[in-house]
């Protein structure tokens, strides 16, 4: 599981910011998500000089790299350099950050500390949390703080937890990912399980107990087309005894199309003329590739343009609106080529036209 952290701002206080001076309330966040409301005294209406003044020596805290599941805690300190009490009106922050302790009022010349806690149990990747502290300081009514770092899983799959491998029949193709152990205990890969008709895998030890490389090789004579499989790796880790790796493979022929199926989706009758799909036809290594196109789908228009290198065609496929009928769009596009190994390629066509 590697994904970037989804962020949203939650307010730990819901009390009005613009209440009357004699009956204002502030919220003191507790260790839970729920808010706790407390009364505060009214600010002095004295001279302009009789006011609080907040100074934050640190506005950004970087906790570096931590293992997923750990808890990061930090105090943001601030000093009231003014001549009136400093009041914290409310605090909001990116989840799952929490305030576990903070003062409601800081006297002139005194220091206040707001204690934050980040539970990384469900986090992986870069994290950058935003904290907003709302104060009664006219010069700094809102202090912006940052809580940032990187959360790594106990066992990391790099550069991503999945394979995406495409190759031509004959040459095939291969790709590799690294398995990085961030736990204190050495890691052993005990068993690797996956279907074998499309690809093979090989495990290489880079640093025993710490780093391994898993290579996936497409079988050059295996079944053609696209497939998504799962590779299971049994490990010695108590925290992550099974690692799941996606294996997305595509073995294509010398002459192939992209996409391999033309999907029009669903259109209302009368609007079908706006439906258009681009089909690419390739001959790997070709220089004098030629095709002729036909179809058994009524009302289908095919306009092709040959590429400058002579190895491909781009086909614009549209529906002729006045010939479109309510019902399924079903049939094929037939590509006749001058390649003696692949004289004809058939591409399925699917879709639907419905009443308004």
């Amino acid at each position: 599981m590697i994904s970037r952290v989804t962020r949203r701002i939650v307010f730990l206080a819901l009390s009005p910011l613009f209440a009357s001076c004699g009956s204002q309330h502030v919220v003191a966040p507790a260790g839970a998500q729920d808010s706790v409301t407390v009364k505060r005294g009214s600010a002095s209406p004295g001279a302009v000089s009789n006011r609080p003044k907040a100074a934050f020596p640190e506005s950004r805290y970087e906790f570096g790299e931590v293992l997923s599941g750990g808890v990061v805690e930090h105090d943001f300190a601030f000093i009231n350099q003014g001549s009136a009490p400093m009041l914290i009106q409310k605090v909001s922050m990116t989840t799952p950050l929490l305030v576990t302790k903070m003062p409601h009022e800081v006297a002139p010349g005194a220091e206040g500390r707001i204690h934050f806690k980040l539970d990384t149990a469900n986090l992986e990747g870069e994290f950058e949390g935003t904290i907003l502290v709302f104060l009664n300081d006219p010069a700094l009514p809102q202090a912006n703080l940052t809580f940032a770092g990187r959360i790594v899983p106990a066992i990391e799959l790099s550069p991503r937890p999945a394979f995406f491998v495409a190759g031509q029949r004959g040459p095939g193709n291969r790709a590799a990912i690294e398995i990085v152990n961030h736990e204190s205990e050495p890691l052993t890969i005990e068993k690797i399980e996956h279907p074998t008709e499309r690809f093979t895998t090989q495990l290489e030890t880079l640093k025993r107990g710490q780093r391994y490389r898993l290579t996936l090789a497409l079988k050059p004579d295996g079944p053609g087309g696209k497939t998504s499989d799962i590779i299971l790796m049994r490990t010695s880790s108590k925290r992550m005894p099974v690692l799941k790796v996606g294996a997305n493979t595509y073995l294509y022929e010398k002459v192939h199309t992209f996409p391999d199926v033309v999907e029009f989706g669903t259109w209302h009758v009368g609007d079908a003329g706006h439906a258009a799909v681009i089909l690419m036809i390739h001959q790997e290594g070709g220089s004098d590739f030629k095709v002729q196109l036909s179809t058994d789908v009524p009302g289908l228009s095919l306009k092709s343009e040959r590429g400058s290198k002579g190895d491909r065609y781009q086909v614009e496929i549209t529906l002729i609106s006045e010939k479109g009928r309510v019902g399924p769009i079903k049939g094929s596009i037939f590509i006749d080529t001058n390649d003696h190994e692949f004289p004809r390629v058939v591409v399925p066509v699917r879709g639907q036209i419905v009443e308004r």
Side-chain angles (χ1 to χ4, degrees):
M1 178 184 67
I2 299 184
S3 64
R4 290 193 65 86
V5 178
T6 302
R7 300 178 176 88
R8 62 187 181 90
I9 298 295
V10 296
F11 284 91
L12 294 185
L14 300 176
S15 55
L17 285 178
F18 304 107
S20 65
C21 196
S23 61
Q24 288 180 324
H25 289 72
V26 295
V27 172
Q33 292 273 358
D34 295 336
S35 301
V36 177
T37 305
V38 296
K39 279 195 174 185
R40 71 174 192 199
S42 60
S44 172
V48 174
S49 60
N50 186 24
R51 61 175 56 176
K53 182 180 179 182
F56 283 82
E58 175 192 40
S59 62
R60 181 180 180 87
Y61 172 62
E62 295 190 5
F63 57 82
E65 193 171 89
V66 300
L67 199 63
S68 179
V71 176
V72 183
E73 299 188 62
H74 182 69
D75 284 339
F76 277 104
F78 65 96
I79 302 170
N80 182 4
Q81 298 179 342
S83 56
M86 174 70 64
L87 303 175
I88 298 178
Q89 296 175 318
K90 70 176 181 179
V91 177
S92 65
M93 67 216 71
T94 306
T95 56
L97 273 169
L98 283 175
V99 172
T100 60
K101 186 179 180 181
M102 75 173 188
H104 310 307
E105 182 177 310
V106 177
E111 179 186 76
R113 288 180 173 270
I114 307 176
H115 187 78
F116 288 91
K117 174 183 176 181
L118 177 66
D119 186 346
T120 67
N122 298 312
L123 302 178
E124 284 186 14
E126 301 294 331
F127 178 85
E128 183 156 325
T130 299
I131 300 165
L132 305 179
V133 182
F134 295 85
L135 305 165
N136 68 331
D137 181 351
L140 186 66
Q142 177 180 303
N144 299 329
L145 309 175
T146 304
F147 202 104
R150 182 171 182 263
I151 299 102
V152 297
I155 303 172
E156 184 177 9
L157 302 176
S158 179
R160 61 184 66 88
F163 286 103
F164 296 89
V165 187
Q168 180 188 337
R169 182 178 299 280
N173 200 1
R174 63 180 55 219
I177 62 172
E178 287 196 12
I179 304 155
V180 184
N181 178 27
H182 293 292
E183 294 184 305
S184 57
E185 293 295 321
L187 175 71
T188 301
I189 308 297
E190 299 173 343
K191 189 177 182 181
I192 300 176
E193 303 170 5
H194 60 77
T196 58
E197 65 271 13
R198 294 182 177 275
F199 59 87
T200 60
T201 57
Q202 181 179 358
L203 185 69
E204 178 185 359
T205 301
L206 302 180
K207 184 177 180 182
R208 187 168 299 278
Q210 299 298 318
R211 298 178 72 92
Y212 299 87
R213 179 185 292 125
L214 181 67
T215 301
L216 180 150
L218 274 177
K219 284 188 173 181
D221 56 350
K226 298 177 182 179
T227 304
S228 294
D229 297 299
I230 296 294
I231 300 171
L232 298 179
M233 289 189 284
R234 311 287 180 179
T235 80
S236 60
S237 170
K238 294 180 180 179
R239 186 180 297 187
M240 300 180 71
V242 179
L243 301 177
K244 293 184 179 181
V245 182
N248 304 283
T249 59
Y250 177 29
L251 185 66
Y252 54 81
E253 308 294 344
K254 176 185 175 184
V255 176
H256 60 280
T257 67
F258 181 82
D260 48 10
V261 177
V262 173
E263 296 275 9
F264 277 106
T266 301
W267 289 83
H268 287 106
V269 65
D271 294 337
H274 299 294
V277 175
I278 297 297
L279 178 72
M280 301 298 299
I281 309 168
H282 294 261
Q283 182 192 51
E284 297 294 331
S287 58
D288 189 29
F289 185 44
K290 296 178 181 178
V291 304
Q292 288 186 341
L293 305 174
S294 60
T295 181
D296 59 3
V297 180
L300 200 66
S301 171
L302 307 174
K303 296 181 180 179
S304 63
E305 182 179 351
R306 192 184 189 198
S308 59
K309 294 182 179 180
D311 64 344
R312 69 193 63 194
Y313 283 80
Q314 177 175 297
V315 184
E316 183 181 4
I317 307 169
T318 57
L319 292 171
I320 301 173
S321 183
E322 55 269 22
K323 294 185 179 181
R325 300 175 182 175
V326 173
I329 303 169
K330 188 177 181 181
S332 301
I333 295 172
F334 304 99
I335 306 169
D336 294 301
T337 83
N338 64 342
D339 189 305
H340 69 278
E341 292 182 59
F342 300 94
R344 169 167 278 201
V345 177
V346 180
V347 180
V349 179
R350 296 196 288 254
Q352 183 83 12
I353 298 178
V354 298
E355 295 281 3
R356 286 189 177 278

